[in-house]
Amino acid sequence: MLKSWRAMTLWKRVFIGLALGVVIGLGLHYGLGELGKKIAEDWFKPFGQAFVNLIKMLVVPLIATTLVSGVIAMGDPKRLGSLGIRTIGMYMLTTFFAVWLGLAVGTIFQPGAGMGEVVGGATGSVGAVTDKLATAGAAQKGLADYLLAIIPSNPIKALANGDVLSIILFSILVGVGILLAGDKGRPLAEFFDSASEVVMKVTMMIMNLAPYGVLALMAWVMGVNGLGILSAMGKLAIALYLACFLQIIFVYGGLIVRTILRLPLTRFFYGIADALGVAYSTASSNATLPVTISCARHNLGVEKSVAGSVLPMGATINMDGTAIYLGIVALFAAQALGLELTFIDYCMVALMATLTSIGAAGIPSAGLLLAAGVLTQIGVTPEQATLIIAFIFPFDRLLDMMRTATNVTGDIAIACTVAKWEGALDEEVFKTKSVV
Ligand code: ASP
């Protein structure tokens, strides 16, 4: 039994962990009531968080070492320009599809219709949410501040704070510096190469704990919330899950993997299964990053230079699930409050949702806390926005899990595309690597 468990591929173990976690959580919630919730909170949550901390621990060393050695592996700093433009272009394109898909599904499903009264009753959680909103609001800066903040005045501080974009910038510059230094740079080049392999091995070790970590996280979320999560906001949840599925199947699957890459879809999904499981249960693209990079490199054949640069950037700025969600929440609010939206309003929501998804951090709840900015675009007052957010807040985890899984799938699909264009995709690995 134990032997066959160990022999099973990781993604299967992760999904078994996920399913067991849901069953255990629901058992605790419905079987033991208050005691069950307490067990979920006191016993399962700490284990889940320990796993999240373990993978988070790897994020900074992984980005720094993989990126520096990736730039060195490119051999020519000029390649960075085309890589950057292609990456950002693809991120924009998929986000464009995502936003309009979310708006279309939200218009057809009308998740907020008849919710006016229900939302009005959300006063209970308003207090808890206002503080968080104030912090999120303060973090929402103008474009110039945002860009300025990427340049780290103190790289050590950026590393300590885990400022992903600053670390990316600094690592690229160090990589370029090493290339330009020629022979003198060789010892550092070897150091980073070796360091990146070591960090990758540590990632693999920690990933073996993923099935248990995922089980604990799911048992905690389901144990505390039960299925109430779904019934209270059934339509909002269905609309979001549907739009995310459509984005994953048609935009990433149909458009990117089948049409642009011309590669087998099943391989793609098998290849990203570990990352999907971890993204879904942790609700954080940043925490999932080590797994995302490992899947892209080892299961799909994306070269280190591309995986190490495109994916950390994606975890921070490419959030299609979040963009879908912001559009749907805006429509939810308009429908609940009885606001009529014009086509211009739709365009404003699309624009704001895109910008906000770029600015949102890859951490749990980021999308919801930044929704206020999008809502005010369509004439929702700040008080009403707080009410809407407070209403969704207690149930947001299930939505967050789905949008994070979508965000991560998009990052990997684009990493494969850019890798192909840059001649850095090993299609043999993509097609034949046995992950079943
Ligand atoms: N939790 C999401 C992520 O990490 C961001 C969001 O809240 O939408 O990708």
Side-chain angles (χ1 to χ4, degrees):
M1 170 87 175
L2 198 63
K3 218 167 161 200
S4 58
W5 171 249
R6 286 215 192 104
M8 209 181 269
T9 43
L10 185 60
W11 74 266
K12 279 190 191 150
R13 283 182 279 149
V14 168
F15 278 94
I16 292 176
L18 204 140
L20 275 179
V22 172
V23 173
I24 293 174
L26 292 180
L28 286 173
H29 188 87
Y30 293 104
L32 298 178
E34 282 308 312
L35 177 65
K37 283 191 201 170
K38 201 167 148 36
I39 295 177
E41 192 72 46
D42 292 352
W43 289 94
F44 285 98
K45 184 179 176 186
F47 274 107
Q49 284 195 324
F51 170 66
V52 172
N53 282 356
L54 277 174
I55 34 180
K56 269 192 178 162
M57 167 180 92
L58 298 170
V59 171
V60 170
L62 193 73
I63 302 178
T65 58
T66 317
L67 195 47
V68 175
S69 67
V71 171
I72 299 167
M74 276 183 205
D76 179 3
K78 289 201 196 87
R79 270 186 64 198
L80 277 171
S82 75
L83 187 107
I85 290 171
R86 285 169 163 164
T87 306
I88 291 176
M90 280 304 286
Y91 283 162
M92 291 293 130
L93 182 75
T94 54
T95 306
F96 174 83
F97 281 117
V99 166
W100 286 101
L101 189 68
L103 288 173
V105 172
T107 307
I108 297 168
F109 264 77
Q110 301 274 323
M115 294 297 273
E117 298 233 328
V118 189
V119 170
T123 36
S125 13
V126 169
V129 162
T130 12
D131 291 349
K132 289 194 188 331
L133 279 180
T135 333
Q140 207 171 19
K141 313 175 203 102
L143 188 63
D145 295 329
Y146 185 70
L147 291 176
L148 257 183
I150 295 175
I151 306 174
S153 52
N154 178 348
I156 306 289
K157 217 167 162 188
L159 288 168
N161 290 342
D163 297 337
V164 175
L165 292 179
S166 306
I167 299 173
I168 293 179
L169 180 72
F170 185 66
S171 308
I172 291 179
L173 291 177
V174 171
V176 172
I178 291 175
L179 280 179
L180 295 179
D183 273 352
K184 286 247 154 119
R186 196 146 302 147
L188 260 192
E190 275 167 16
F191 167 81
F192 276 106
D193 202 35
S194 145
S196 76
E197 284 312 310
V198 172
V199 180
M200 207 66 212
K201 286 281 180 283
V202 180
T203 307
M204 302 299 221
M205 272 153 48
I206 290 177
M207 272 311 290
N208 276 316
L209 298 176
Y212 314 104
V214 165
L215 184 151
L217 286 167
M218 292 310 294
W220 162 51
V221 172
M222 297 315 279
V224 171
N225 299 298
L227 288 174
I229 282 188
L230 283 179
S231 58
M233 292 197 310
K235 274 182 151 181
L236 185 59
I238 293 173
L240 179 80
Y241 271 65
L242 178 72
C244 285
F245 272 119
L246 293 175
Q247 173 84 2
I248 291 176
I249 304 287
F250 291 107
V251 179
Y252 307 144
L255 179 70
I256 296 190
V257 180
R258 291 300 300 142
T259 316
I260 302 182
L261 294 174
R262 299 188 175 280
L263 286 167
L265 211 51
T266 42
R267 287 275 156 211
F268 176 74
F269 285 114
Y270 278 135
I272 65 168
D274 293 347
L276 271 186
V278 174
Y280 191 74
S281 53
T282 59
S284 165
S285 315
N286 275 1
T288 313
L289 193 54
V291 191
T292 317
I293 295 182
S294 162
C295 285
R297 279 185 62 191
H298 300 117
N299 300 345
L300 300 174
V302 177
E303 247 179 39
K304 187 151 94 175
S305 55
V306 173
S309 51
V310 173
L311 292 170
M313 206 153 118
T316 325
I317 65 170
N318 183 49
M319 299 209 180
D320 297 344
T322 307
I324 292 178
Y325 171 78
L326 289 166
I328 294 185
V329 168
L331 293 185
F332 174 85
Q335 290 152 7
L337 301 170
L339 303 171
E340 288 288 329
L341 297 187
T342 61
F343 181 64
I344 302 289
D345 288 327
Y346 271 76
C347 293
M348 283 314 289
V349 170
L351 182 69
M352 280 302 288
T354 306
L355 294 177
T356 309
S357 73
I358 295 173
I363 52 170
S365 287
L368 176 63
L369 295 175
L370 292 179
V374 183
L375 294 185
T376 44
Q377 286 301 316
I378 49 168
V380 174
T381 64
E383 293 74 34
Q384 287 170 328
T386 310
L387 209 59
I388 297 274
I389 291 171
F391 170 70
I392 302 178
F393 189 70
F395 318 107
D396 192 52
R397 179 77 186 199
L398 260 204
L399 309 180
D400 202 358
M401 300 192 309
M402 187 64 204
R403 55 188 198 255
T404 308
T406 312
N407 293 343
V408 167
T409 309
D411 296 341
I412 305 186
I414 292 173
C416 293
T417 315
V418 174
K420 179 162 177 138
W421 289 337
E422 293 285 322
L425 182 69
D426 188 338
E427 294 193 15
E428 278 317 298
V429 174
F430 193 114
K431 284 191 216 151
T432 55
K433 167 95 181 159
S434 161
V435 278
V436 183

